[in-house]
């Protein structure tokens, strides 16, 4: 019923010619998501508190974080509600890219919700097992990758299905005319053809990797959400350009018919994120939990793949990348030294990276704001690739 109402409102609104402009609808999606967050936020937080859905703080983490124990978590549900409703209201619901990105976002959000629910409601410290979590992330990522590889090369879903069945009918050996090349920024003509399976593999790693990277970053008040908003907003610009035949040709980007509509989704993501930041700013009234972090990271990855800007996402999301690498290096070095010397050694004082700087004496707010500043610089650097080719 909610979807039918959103469809009716969307058709009614777009009856006015002015609402056909993607840029206007992207701005309105931002404002709508922000308004929904402001309106629903207090009640949502009270509901979480009433259900005793509180954050449990790891005992081996920074001691200053012990005071945060019991703060309502799973606030990412508020982000998904605001993002989903705003997108359904302002986006063109006949656009296939809107639906695949929404499905990926909500799918990863569902995985995070189950994990959070088991941890805080059922008091199961392990939540969803690592194997089960990775399985469901992988399942969603692979299905999305297979769909996206055909959809970016086809003008509509009918052609997508034709390409897909041609591929299946050939025994998965038919080479199709796909836009499946890895684009290298700052160069006019440099790109690396990946082939169909190569593109599927890349898409899978981008979506699943981005999801887990944002999740690892979500450890301080406001740390993950603001970089997500900035990177998502920048990807909205890339989406608008990729979906415009004139701009994409002028800026030497691949033209992806229909991709421009993702600017509306990115606008809704930015509004929902800023609305959540209102309550998540230090000292946080609510944490996003896995339900928010996994979903937002997957959303960024999916949009980046559709608009063919995987490397640019890697650049703009440098904070997420650094946080992920810090955990990988810390764990790998500890295991290696334990095996070789009998006692594990650490590269950082504590992982992820934001905890290392806390241990170095930085205050939580200093770490957060400085990581924001770094993200601003990286996003501007990523946006410069639009013209510097």
């Amino acid at each position: 019923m909610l979807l039918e109402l959103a469809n009716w409102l969307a058709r009614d609104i777009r009856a006015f010619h002015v609402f056909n402009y993607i840029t206007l609808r992207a701005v309105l999606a931002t404002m709508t998501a922000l308004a929904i967050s402001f309106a629903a936020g207090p009640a949502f937080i009270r509901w979480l508190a009433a259900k005793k859905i509180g954050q449990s703080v790891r005992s081996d983490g920074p001691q200053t974080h012990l005071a945060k124990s019991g703060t309502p978590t799973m606030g990412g549900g508020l982000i998904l509600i605001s993002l989903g409703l705003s997108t359904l209201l302002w986006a063109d619901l006949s656009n296939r890219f809107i639906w695949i990105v929404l499905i990926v976002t909500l799918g990863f959000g569902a995985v995070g919700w189950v994990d959070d629910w088991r941890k805080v409601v059922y008091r199961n410290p392990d939540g969803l097992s690592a194997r089960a979590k990775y399985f469901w992330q992988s399942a969603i990522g692979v299905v999305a990758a297979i769909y996206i590889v055909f959809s970016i090369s086809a003008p509509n879903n009918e052609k997508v299905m034709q390409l897909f069945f041609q591929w299946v009918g050939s025994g998965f050996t038919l080479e199709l005319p796909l836009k499946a090349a890895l684009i290298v920024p700052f160069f006019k003509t440099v790109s690396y053809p990946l082939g169909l399976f190569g593109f599927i593999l890349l898409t899978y790693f981008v979506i699943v990797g981005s999801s887990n990277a944002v999740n690892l970053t979500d450890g301080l008040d406001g740390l993950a959400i603001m970089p997500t908003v900035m990177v998502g907003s920048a990807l909205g610009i890339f989406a608008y350009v990729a979906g415009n035949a004139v701009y994409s040709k002028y800026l030497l980007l691949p033209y992806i018919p229909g991709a421009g509509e993702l600017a509306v989704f990115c606008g809704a993501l930015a509004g929902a994120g800023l609305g959540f930041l209102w309550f998540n700013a230090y000292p946080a009234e609510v944490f996003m939990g896995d339900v928010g972090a996994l979903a937002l990271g997957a959303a960024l990855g999916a949009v980046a793949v559709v608009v063919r800007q995987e490397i640019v996402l890697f650049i703009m999301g440098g904070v997420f990348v650094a946080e992920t690498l810090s955990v990988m290096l810390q764990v790998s070095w500890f295991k290696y030294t334990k095996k070789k010397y009998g006692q594990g050694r650490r590269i950082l004082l504590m992982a992820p990276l934001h905890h290392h700087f806390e241990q170095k004496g930085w205050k939580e707010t200093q770490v957060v704001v400085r990581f924001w500043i770094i993200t601003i610089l990286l996003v501007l650097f990523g946006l410069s690739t639009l013209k510097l080719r």
Side-chain angles (χ1 to χ4, degrees), residues 120-164:
V120 299
V121 176
Y122 293 155
R123 307 301 177 188
N124 180 355
D126 295 328
L128 191 63
S129 70
R131 180 175 297 181
K133 184 188 295 187
Y134 186 67
F135 169 80
W136 288 111
Q137 286 179 311
S138 297
I140 299 169
V142 168
V143 171
I146 293 173
Y147 178 80
I148 291 174
V149 71
F150 294 106
S151 66
I152 62 174
S153 303
N156 52 56
N157 273 330
E158 182 179 354
K159 185 62 176 177
V160 169
M161 298 308 296
Q162 289 179 4
L163 288 175
F164 175 75

Side-chain angles (χ1 to χ4, degrees), residues 334-388:
F334 185 86
K335 289 182 177 179
Y336 170 76
T337 53
K338 186 174 183 179
K339 182 178 180 180
K340 185 172 183 178
Y341 303 110
Q343 183 177 2
R345 301 175 184 177
R346 293 175 172 82
I347 300 174
L348 303 173
L349 296 177
M350 187 178 292
L353 188 61
H354 53 263
H355 288 326
H356 170 76
F357 287 111
E358 282 190 290
Q359 295 299 306
K360 294 276 287 184
W362 291 17
K363 294 182 179 179
E364 180 174 348
T365 50
Q366 287 179 308
V367 177
V368 171
V369 173
R370 287 171 180 174
F371 276 37
W372 287 0
I373 293 171
I374 292 171
T375 301
I376 291 172
L377 295 175
L378 293 174
V379 167
L380 291 175
F381 184 61
L383 286 172
S384 70
T385 65
L386 280 168
K387 187 59 181 172
L388 298 179

Side-chain angles (χ1 to χ4, degrees), residues 105-251:
T105 303
L106 297 177
F108 274 77
V111 174
W113 179 275
V114 172
D115 186 42
D116 285 336
W117 191 264
R118 290 188 178 183
K119 287 179 181 176
V120 299
V121 176
Y122 293 155
R123 307 301 177 188
N124 180 355
D126 295 328
L128 191 63
S129 70
R131 180 175 297 181
K133 184 188 295 187
Y134 186 67
F135 169 80
W136 288 111
Q137 286 179 311
S138 297
I140 299 169
V142 168
V143 171
I146 293 173
Y147 178 80
I148 291 174
V149 71
F150 294 106
S151 66
I152 62 174
S153 303
N156 52 56
N157 273 330
E158 182 179 354
K159 185 62 176 177
V160 169
M161 298 308 296
Q162 289 179 4
L163 288 175
F164 175 75
F165 285 118
Q166 286 179 36
W167 177 58
V168 174
S170 69
F172 308 104
T173 59
L174 182 65
E175 288 296 329
L176 301 173
L178 301 170
K179 298 178 182 178
L182 179 63
I183 297 173
V184 180
F186 298 113
F187 296 94
K188 291 182 179 181
T189 57
V190 177
S191 61
Y192 294 98
L194 299 172
L196 196 146
F197 281 106
F199 182 89
I200 291 174
L201 188 63
L202 174 68
T203 300
Y204 165 79
F205 280 119
V206 170
I207 293 176
V208 176
S210 298
S211 176
N212 288 298
V214 173
N215 195 32
L216 288 172
T217 306
D218 182 34
L220 301 178
D221 298 352
L223 178 59
I225 190 61
M226 193 59 186
T228 299
V229 167
M230 290 188 280
V231 174
S233 300
L235 286 175
I237 296 174
F238 280 98
Y240 180 74
V241 172
N244 187 293
V246 176
Y247 292 158
S248 59
K249 181 179 180 180
Y250 174 68
L251 295 172

